[in-house]
Amino acid sequence: MLRTQLYADAHHLFLHDLVLDACRRNAPKTALLDASCGRRLTFAEYGDIVESVARSLIATGVKPGDVVAIFLANSWEFCAAFHATQLAGAIPTLLNPTYREREVRYQLENSGAVLLITDGGNIEGINLGGLPKLRRVYTTRQHAAGAEPFATLLNPVTAIYPKPDQSSEQTLAALPYSSGTTGLPKGVMLSHYNLVANVYQLLGPNATALNSADHILCCLPLYHIYGLNVILNPALILGATLVLVPRFNLQAMTKLLIDEAVTMMPLVPPAINALCQAAEAGQFPRDHKVHWVKSGAAPLAPELARRFTALTNILVC
C-alpha cells in the first residue's frame, strides 16, 4: 500500500513546541534515562529544564538567529541544550564528540557560534582563543578553565521567549555539518518544517511501528541526523521513553535491554553484527522484549539481517 499522507500537517509547527507539548501531555511519565549517569527525567522535569535553560540563554544575551554549539556525547544535557536553544530562538550546531582541535575550531568559526556547551574532557588541550564570535563556554560535568558550569543555566531567571518572525519553513532548527567527503564539512541548514515533516514521515500511516508505550534504546550519536531526528525527536513527540547510552557498549546495552524493558533499538550494520556474535556466544538475553530494530546509515547485507533474526527472534527493518 502506498503511503500518501503525513502523520499530521507539518506546516507552521516548530519542533521545540511539539516537544514541550508532549512534556505537558505526558508529565508523570519517564521521558529519558541517561545511562551514563543514571539520571531519569519525567516529561514534566524535562520540559522544565528546557524552559529554564532557554531563559538563561536569553538572559546571557543569546538572540534569535544566533548559533549555539553543542559538543557533547549522548546525555540528558545534550537533549536539553538542543531543545532549549531552539526555544530561545537560536540555532544549535552539533559537533562530533570525538573531534580534535582543528575540527572543533573550524566548525565553531564557520558556523559563527556565540556560545559552546560541552564537557571539560572534550575541550582539554583545545585552544578556543581567537574565535571572533564565541562569547561563552559552558561545561556539563567536568570543569574547564575559562568555562562556566552548565548547572548555572538551570538557575531561575526571568526572560521572555521570542516569537518567531518567520515561518517554520524559513526558520532554522539545526545546523549539523556534513561529513566533508568532497571537501571541508558544510553546515546543513535544516528548518523546523524540515525536521517536523521528517518526524511525521516516520510516524505516518504504514511507516514505523513506534508508539508511546515504546522504550527505545539509543546508542547512536545524537549529533548525527539518524540519532537526532529518527530517534530523539520522534520519541519525545510520541511520549515514548528514551534510554540513552553514550556509545555502543555490548555489556551495558544487553543489561539495559532487561532492566529498562527495551522494545526497540536503532542500529547500524556493524552493531547488528556485534550483537549476532554476542548471541552466538550466549551473551544476548533470551527474555528481552525487543520487537524490532532499525538498521540505517550503511548498506545491510540480507544474510546479516536473517542471521540476527534467527539468533534473537527480533525483526530487522
Side-chain angles (χ1 to χ4, degrees), residues 68-110:
V68 172
I70 302 173
F71 181 33
L72 289 170
N74 288 8
S75 57
W76 70 267
E77 295 100 330
F78 180 110
C79 305
F82 179 79
H83 294 121
T85 297
Q86 294 177 333
L87 181 58
I91 306 161
T93 190
L94 314 172
L95 283 75
N96 182 335
T98 66
Y99 272 176
R100 297 295 182 256
E101 181 172 324
R102 179 179 60 85
E103 298 156 317
V104 172
R105 288 185 62 88
Y106 168 74
Q107 188 165 335
L108 292 177
E109 185 166 15
N110 186 261

Side-chain angles (χ1 to χ4, degrees), residues 96-282:
N96 182 335
T98 66
Y99 272 176
R100 297 295 182 256
E101 181 172 324
R102 179 179 60 85
E103 298 156 317
V104 172
R105 288 185 62 88
Y106 168 74
Q107 188 165 335
L108 292 177
E109 185 166 15
N110 186 261
S111 66
V114 302
L115 189 145
L116 171 63
I117 298 173
T118 185
D119 197 24
N122 289 2
I123 55 173
E124 186 175 357
I126 292 180
N127 174 21
L128 295 175
L131 293 165
K133 292 195 175 180
L134 188 66
R135 299 194 301 261
R136 289 173 181 258
V137 178
Y138 290 90
T139 51
T140 55
R141 303 183 189 181
Q142 181 182 332
H143 182 63
E148 302 171 59
F150 178 79
T152 62
L153 295 176
L154 300 174
N155 294 335
V157 296
T158 301
I160 298 173
Y161 307 130
K163 294 188 185 305
D165 59 2
Q166 292 184 303
S167 68
S168 63
E169 290 92 335
Q170 296 171 309
T171 304
L172 293 191
L175 190 68
Y177 269 62
S178 67
S179 58
T181 51
T182 57
L184 290 171
K186 299 166 184 67
V188 182
M189 301 165 70
L190 297 175
S191 71
H192 282 270
Y193 177 77
N194 290 151
L195 293 184
V196 172
N198 186 216
V199 169
Y200 285 174
Q201 285 172 321
L202 288 162
L203 305 183
N206 307 311
T208 54
L210 293 170
N211 62 70
S212 61
D214 274 315
H215 290 203
I216 303 169
L217 178 60
C218 182
C219 64
L220 300 176
L222 295 178
Y223 79 86
H224 190 278
I225 200 68
Y226 187 3
L228 182 76
N229 215 49
V230 177
I231 301 305
L232 171 63
N233 291 323
L236 292 177
I237 289 170
L238 266 180
T241 296
L242 189 62
V243 180
L244 280 179
V245 293
R247 64 191 64 82
F248 183 83
N249 179 301
L250 187 63
Q251 187 174 4
M253 287 177 59
T254 51
K255 184 175 187 300
L256 286 167
L257 289 184
I258 302 304
D259 292 349
E260 299 301 323
V262 170
T263 59
M264 184 270 177
M265 289 188 289
L267 296 171
V268 292
I272 292 176
N273 187 57
L275 291 172
C276 283
Q277 293 173 341
E280 287 165 342

Side-chain angles (χ1 to χ4, degrees), residues 4-28:
T4 58
Q5 291 180 322
L6 293 177
Y7 172 78
D9 186 359
H11 287 91
H12 314 302
L13 299 177
F14 290 82
L15 182 64
H16 55 276
D17 288 338
L18 296 180
V19 170
L20 290 173
D21 180 61
C23 289
R24 289 184 284 270
R25 288 186 287 104
N26 301 282

